[in-house]
Amino acid sequence: MIRNYFKIAFRNIWKGKTYAAINILGLAIGFTCILLILSFIYGELSYDKFHSKRELVYRVVNNYTDDDSGDLIEAAYTYAPLAGLISDNIIGVQKVLRIHEKQGLLWVNGKEKFIEKNFLYADSAFFQLFDFQILRGDRDHALDAPFSAVISQRLATKHFGTDNPIGQTINNQDDNGINQLTVTGVMADMPFNSHLEADIICSMVTLQKTQPWNFYWYYPPMYTYVQFSGPPEISKTEKQITEFVQSKLPEGFGTVDYKIQRLDQIYIHSQREGEFRATGNYTIVVMFIIIAVFILILAAINFMNLATARSIKKAKEVGIRKVMGAYRGQLLMQFLSESILTTFLAFSISIGLLFLSVGIFENVIDKELYFDFMLSWQSGLIVCAALVLIGS
């Protein structure tokens, strides 16, 4: 019976090709716009969600008043001594991690020198707090020793080809001369939805040996991350850190107000000075959600208006079917099947339009889009339910 309904529905759509084309194309354009927007929203809200400890790991940031201008500065960075003070004196802290970002002049013996912008120094807890995939090496101890480094798959392939890079050396020239870094690990390239970017991570003890002046107050800033034993009371923890650290700051340092940011909230909710990379904006995400809902409503209204306009021509068909003995429920199912078939055809066409327009949209927003969210069975069920609802 259902097969017969859709068979007749297809015949009716083919019979009214002009009307069907206008209806299907209108819906398809609307669906395409919605899918593009959903992809953008998915990308913006997915940052750092892949970390299993995202609800326990927080970044410590600070607000301070600039001595020259008197402006309040909201900074993403802190300074090296902060980590030790927090680790030893704040209740509930399990691990503390410092990250220092710095460009590196690198070269592999026999190859040209290159400047690596995605160069980090990090404490050994880096791969314990963050779930970046390690392809080779020991994730818990890869950054323990001085002059050890973990490199990305991209960097490993570029400079070592198919050879095993573990144990190989990379030369690094810094302010203190030339150092030989030993590769102790290879990690998968960091995913697009990470607020951190790195192709080489060198052990923090290396920086302590080569440039110890980086580990005092007033010197080049570092980023400080803390893993708590359980979800912290944010305001209480911030007050504890601020009051304790303020009492330990050197004279003349000024007043500093420390804040903590949950790992998976950094990208979308933080626009501080000195961020690792350009961050998102939650207000823009909300605006795009409103636009997507508005487009969906417009497409549905347009669909209903066209269906209403054609209902006059349907009156004759209804009369004939009633004379032939059709029940009201059968007529309702026939019209619903035609409407639902139209929405599914429109969605199918929108997939093609999506791939044709994605490049243009990416150029407009200057960001690569990902459609992984469409591949799960949950998404398939939601799409089918939405199409049936619109068609009904």
Side-chain angles (χ1 to χ4, degrees), residues 173-216:
Q173 183 173 344
D174 60 22
D175 300 336
N176 200 43
I178 298 174
N179 306 305
Q180 278 196 332
L181 306 178
T182 301
V183 178
T184 54
V186 178
M187 63 180 179
D189 296 337
M190 288 189 174
F192 79 95
N193 53 355
S194 167
H195 82 284
L196 296 173
E197 290 181 318
D199 278 307
I200 179 167
I201 304 172
C202 187
S203 61
M204 186 63 76
V205 289
T206 303
L207 191 64
Q208 288 175 319
K209 282 183 172 293
T210 59
Q211 302 176 47
W213 54 85
N214 283 282
F215 294 85
Y216 300 97

Side-chain angles (χ1 to χ4, degrees), residues 263-274:
L263 177 60
D264 58 355
Q265 301 294 311
I266 292 174
Y267 174 82
I268 197 63
H269 290 291
S270 182
Q271 290 85 38
R272 289 177 167 265
E273 181 181 284

Side-chain angles (χ1 to χ4, degrees), residues 3-13 321 334:
R3 180 184 176 185
N4 187 56
Y5 285 139
F6 280 100
K7 186 176 180 181
I8 296 172
F10 186 80
R11 286 177 180 174
N12 288 338
I13 291 173
R321 287 181 179 276
Q334 179 59 60

